[in-house]
Amino acid sequence: MFDMVPVARAYLSLMRDVSDDWKTIIDHWSELEKQYRKEEHNPSGCAPKTYRMLKRLKEGNYA
């Protein structure tokens, strides 16, 4: 989305107030985006490492 609508990135921080989960996601956005970029052209259409990162964040494992 941010590739197609770059101005939307300026509003990403607003999501921090939606929930604790979103706050954590936004706080780790650059890491998540970097990992996703490595997987975005996966022929399967899946991004398993990005998914695992999100799952760890949800579980409170930020390491």
Side-chain angles (χ1 to χ4, degrees), residues 1 7-8 10-11 16 21 24 28 31 34 38 41 45-46 50 55 57-58:
M1 178 179 93
V7 71
Y11 298 95
R16 293 179 97 249
D21 286 340
T24 301
H28 293 87
E31 302 155 58
K34 184 177 179 180
K38 292 177 184 177
H41 299 293
C46 297
T50 306
K55 189 173 179 183
L57 291 173
K58 179 141 178 77

Side-chain angles (χ1 to χ4, degrees), residues 1 9 11-12 17-18 28 30 38 40 43 45 47 57 61-62:
M1 178 179 93
R9 188 177 291 275
Y11 298 95
L12 186 59
D17 297 332
V18 171
H28 293 87
S30 61
K38 292 177 184 177
E40 70 181 322
L57 291 173
N61 182 2
Y62 307 126

Side-chain angles (χ1 to χ4, degrees), residues 10-29:
Y11 298 95
L12 186 59
S13 64
L14 296 175
M15 293 300 294
R16 293 179 97 249
D17 297 332
V18 171
S19 69
D20 288 340
D21 286 340
W22 269 107
K23 180 185 180 308
T24 301
I25 289 169
I26 299 307
D27 289 348
H28 293 87
W29 188 265

